[in-house]
């Protein structure tokens, strides 16, 4: 009887995951979808605690389980509630790492149980335990590095031959695992723990050389890794909900990773391996004589913007870093009060993660209808008086269209040059993430407005109010 | 080899689940607008927290005198819960902001 109820619990869990994911991919239903998946997860978890049995024996150690759940829930809720919207990507990475670690630890305990008598189980069980360990550990270590990188705690790091080193490391992990799986002996248990350590090391070296701008793609990839690690647990315990949940995330995560790469117009392999040439990119555009750029004062900007009919704001990474989304919304309001039509043009990869800019602007109460996607915005630029670019660079770089030797060649961009006047706010003339010069800054229509985005916007708002 | 084939026969249902889930995952995500990439990733992140169920089973089966299993299992439960709860709460916070405000 109880087992049948548990089966139903797992069925509900699996179905809610599918429905939840489906709903998460539409703006109107997304929030409900998340709650539905969460409810299904709750049913599956409590069903397991109270109804699960193996050979007629129920689970024990309730005190431990509930203490663990309480600590995890408390810490998780606090962390999730307190994190700033701009720090969202590293938070996701951190939680992903926790899941990976959890999967690896399950393999450690299960291995501890059977390692005294390795002959008692078949080699496929060992294969699953090793797979869970390796994937979980790589996902954990990689996510931690991604988290620290987004935080600015560690910098990109690559050494000569890292590519080869990583491949050798990975080969060693596979060989050692295969050796144990085919010769399971109690005396060889150290191999398991060595593989654990090597997998952690591999996770670190896998992510370390990849550039900060590509972290979202890496996090998405590691996300699908953790899904597969969870599915290994599903095989181990014959547990359908772990299997569906894990595999679903594994495949959906992979597709999402590819979609993200597509938005940047870069193949995944380029993101993962391309980093090795990263140090040389900076020199690409420097040899060309770019000519002069012109500066514009805050006063002048205030004047042109308030007498314009149509203004489009192009927010980018710089806006996110300066946490200027609220002031930006204020600027939009003072301009709207003067009868100026203000909208935002959002490039698919603006911000620190695809879609991140929308979340940031939504946080600042910017109306959803004011956000225009790239295709929409590109039709509007020609009839626009002023385009204000806030901390965006590569997404407005015309080199993506004109210069086949540019690393971002082929990436779809916002055609801001069609507007009558382009004002670019940047902290300095330093090139953007991709490390390439931007011709746009040197065009006659373009004026540079230097300074921290938040600071500049505050002054701009104050200035417009006095006009 | 024989073990592998046996295992396939015993677990064929699970293998079917895996293959169907792979295609389902691809279909479900297929046409997501880029606006939702971050929340979707975060939501998927919470869902793979289902690994917590494995941690609970490990924890619940541990013998009372096996302190290593108890401690490692406990750690796994805490980390898994962090993944699930943190993941869903963060996703909800992100999506909350998409709602139209008056």
């Amino acid at each position: 009887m109880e087992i049948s109820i548990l089966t139903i619990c797992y069925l509900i869990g699996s179905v809610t995951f599918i429905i939840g994911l489906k709903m998460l991919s539409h703006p109107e239903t997304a929030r409900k979808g998340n709650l539905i998946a969460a409810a299904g997860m709750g049913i599956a978890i409590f069903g397991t605690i109270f109804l699960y049995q193996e050979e007629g024996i129920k689970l024990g150690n309730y005190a431990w389980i509930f203490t663990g759940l309480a600590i995890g829930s408390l810490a998780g809720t606090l962390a999730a509630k307190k994190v700033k919207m701009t720090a969202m990507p590293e938070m996701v990475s951190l939680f992903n790492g926790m899941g990976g670690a959890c999967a690896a630890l399950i393999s450690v305990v299960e291995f501890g149980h059977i390692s005294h008598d390795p002959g008692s189980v078949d080699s496929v069980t060992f294969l699953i335990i090793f797979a869970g360990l390796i994937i979980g550990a790589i996902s954990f270590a990689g996510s931690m590095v991604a988290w620290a990188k987004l935080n600015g705690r560690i910098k990109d790091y690559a050494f000569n031959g890292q590519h080869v080193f990583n491949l050798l490391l990975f080969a060693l992990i596979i060989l050692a695992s295969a050796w144990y799986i085919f010769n399971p002996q109690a005396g060889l248990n150290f191999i398991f723990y060595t593989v654990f350590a090597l997998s952690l090391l591999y996770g670190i070296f896998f992510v370390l050389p990849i550039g900060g701008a590509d972290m979202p793609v890496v996090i998405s990839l590691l996300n699908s890794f953790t899904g597969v690690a969870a599915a290994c647990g599903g095989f181990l315990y014959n547990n359908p909900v772990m299997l569906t949940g894990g595999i679903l995330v594994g495949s959906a995560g992979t597709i999402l990773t590819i979609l993200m790469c597509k938005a940047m117009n870069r193949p995944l392999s380029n993101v993962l391996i391309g980093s090795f040439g990263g140090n040389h990119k900076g020199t690409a555009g420097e040899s060309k004589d770019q000519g002069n750029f012109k500066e514009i004062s805050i006063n002048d900007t205030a004047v042109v913007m308030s007498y314009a009919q149509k203004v489009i704001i192009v927010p980018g990474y710089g806006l996110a870093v300066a946490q200027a989304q609220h002031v930006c919304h204020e600027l939009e309001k003072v301009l709207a009060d003067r009868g100026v039509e203000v909208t935002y043009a959002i490039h698919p990869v603006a911000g620190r993660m695809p879609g991140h800019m929308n979340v940031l602007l939504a946080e600042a109460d910017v109306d959803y209808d004011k956000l225009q996607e790239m295709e929409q915005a590109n039709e509007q630029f020609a009839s626009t008086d002023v385009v204000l670019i806030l901390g965006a660079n590569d997404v407005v770089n015309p080199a993506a269209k004109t210069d086949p030797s540019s690393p971002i060649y082929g990436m779809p961009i916002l055609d801001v040059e069609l507007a009558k006047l382009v004002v670019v706010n940047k902290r300095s003339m330093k090139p953007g993430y991709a490390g390439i010069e931007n011709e746009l800054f040197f065009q006659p229509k373009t004026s540079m407005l230097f300074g921290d985005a938040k600071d500049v916007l505050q002054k701009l708002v104050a200035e417009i109010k006095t006009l | 080899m024989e073990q592998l084939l046996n295992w396939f026969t015993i677990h064929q249902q699970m293998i079917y689940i895996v293959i169907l889930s792979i295609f389902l995952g691809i279909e479900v995500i297929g046409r997501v607008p880029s606006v939702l990439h971050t929340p979707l990733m975060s939501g998927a992140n919470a869902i793979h927290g289902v690994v917590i169920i494995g941690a609970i089973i490990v924890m619940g089966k541990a013998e009372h005198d096996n302190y290593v299993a108890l401690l490692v299992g406990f750690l796994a439960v805490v980390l898994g819960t962090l993944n699930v709860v943190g993941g869903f709460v963060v996703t909800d916070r992100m999506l909350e902001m998409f709602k139209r405000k008056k």
Side-chain angles (χ1 to χ4, degrees), chain A residues 10 28 33 39 44-46 61 189 276 289 318 324 338 348 406 415 427:
Chain A
Y10 284 164
E28 306 86 46
I45 289 176
F46 286 102
N61 301 321
N189 286 351
F276 291 90
D289 184 22
R338 300 183 67 102
S406 168
D415 301 320
R427 272 208 283 221

Side-chain angles (χ1 to χ4, degrees), chain B residues 2 24-25 29-30 39 44 46 49 54-55 59 74 80 86 93 99:
Chain B
E2 206 189 312
L24 195 59
I29 297 303
M59 183 80 255
F74 180 70
R93 254 192 81 192
K99 137 181 118 192

Side-chain angles (χ1 to χ4, degrees), chain A residues 10 18 21-22 24-27 30-31 34 37-38 41 44-45 48-49 52 54 59-61 64-65 68-69 72-73 76-77 80-81 83 85 88 92 95-96 98-99 101-103 105-106 109-110 122-124 128 219-220 223 226-227 230 235 237-239 241-244 247-249 251-252 255-256 259-260 353-356 358-359 362-363 365 368-369 373, chain B residues 3-4 7 11 14-15 17-18 21-64 66 68-101:
Chain A
Y10 284 164
I18 299 168
L21 264 188
K22 179 82 199 158
L24 266 169
S25 43
H26 296 283
R31 197 171 179 206
N34 184 50
M41 183 73 81
I45 289 176
T48 308
I49 296 176
Y52 184 87
E54 214 164 272
L59 294 178
N61 301 321
W64 288 83
I65 294 176
L69 284 177
S73 307
T77 314
K81 287 263 181 208
V83 63
M85 275 299 146
M88 219 43 124
V92 175
F95 288 141
N96 181 47
M98 299 296 113
C102 181
L105 292 180
I106 292 172
V109 178
E110 286 301 329
D122 58 11
S123 43
V124 183
I128 296 165
I219 296 173
S220 178
N223 197 19
T226 314
F235 269 118
Y237 300 112
N238 254 317
N239 188 311
V241 76
M242 285 175 82
L243 201 61
T244 11
I247 295 290
L248 210 55
V249 174
S251 81
I255 288 298
L256 193 57
L259 285 178
M260 284 184 182
M353 267 191 179
H356 191 218
N358 304 69
V359 175
E363 188 203 9
D365 278 340
Y368 194 75
D369 298 328
E373 295 208 16
Chain B
Q3 276 183 336
L4 190 69
W7 187 85
H11 293 89
M14 309 211 95
I15 293 160
I17 294 180
V18 168
S21 298
I22 291 175
F23 283 99
L24 195 59
I26 296 171
E27 272 313 303
V28 161
I29 297 303
R31 280 182 302 274
V32 57
S34 62
V35 185
L36 285 174
H37 279 176
T38 301
L40 182 67
M41 174 157 127
S42 176
N45 175 48
I47 290 176
H48 71 47
V50 73
V51 68
I52 175 79
I53 288 178
I56 291 172
I57 296 175
V58 158
M59 183 80 255
K61 283 197 310 187
E63 302 87 359
H64 291 283
N66 188 347
V68 179
L70 280 175
L71 274 176
V72 178
F74 180 70
L75 192 60
V77 171
V78 173
L79 295 179
T81 318
L82 264 174
N83 186 183
V84 173
V85 177
F88 280 122
V89 174
V90 148
T91 314
D92 189 60
R93 254 192 81 192
M94 280 188 218
L95 293 169
E96 191 187 356
M97 288 163 187
F98 279 98
K99 137 181 118 192
R100 277 155 218 261
K101 286 171 188 148

Side-chain angles (χ1 to χ4, degrees), chain A residues 184-199:
Chain A
Q185 291 161 29
L188 291 175
N189 286 351
F190 70 94
I191 290 183
F192 180 84
Y193 300 103
T194 313
V195 167
F196 189 17
L198 289 179
S199 305

